[in-house]
Amino acid sequence: MDTDLDDKDREWLIAEIIKLRGAIREHRDASGHELCWHHPKMWALLPEAIPANIAVPPWPQFMRGCIKYRQSLDEQLPNAAIDDREA
């Protein structure tokens, strides 16, 4: 899958790592509703195109996933600050 990296030199690889780390940090440091939104900017860092046929679950199933994600934050990060701004 990542054979496009085989012919890259050390400098290119280091620059790519720095770019990818920046995107990971941007996502990690997001807060509020940005945590669960669509992230095409980060996906665009991959060499392959973003699929046009992304599928989403129906609303009830999607909302259950959001609730499960939020519950996991309560368990894994119980002292997180609360951001009560509306999206």
Side-chain angles (χ1 to χ4, degrees):
M1 174 179 253
D2 293 318
T3 56
D4 60 306
L5 300 174
D6 293 343
D7 63 346
K8 304 300 184 195
D9 64 24
R10 184 177 190 278
E11 290 76 24
W12 188 95
L13 292 169
I14 290 171
E16 188 71 4
I17 290 167
I18 291 169
K19 180 174 72 171
L20 296 173
R21 283 182 172 185
I24 293 166
R25 287 184 183 106
E26 183 179 343
H27 184 263
R28 176 202 63 197
D29 296 343
S31 63
H33 293 280
E34 292 93 21
L35 289 171
C36 55
W37 287 357
H38 185 66
H39 293 282
K41 184 176 162 186
M42 186 164 58
W43 299 346
L45 296 170
L46 295 170
E48 61 269 14
I50 297 171
N53 61 345
I54 294 173
V56 296
W59 276 103
Q61 185 179 352
F62 181 84
M63 294 308 296
R64 285 192 301 272
C66 290
I67 291 168
K68 189 174 181 179
Y69 172 66
R70 182 61 179 86
Q71 287 171 333
S72 76
L73 288 175
D74 284 343
E75 294 166 8
Q76 297 173 35
L77 204 57
N79 297 320
I82 301 297
D83 181 351
D84 62 356
R85 293 175 288 162
E86 290 290 328

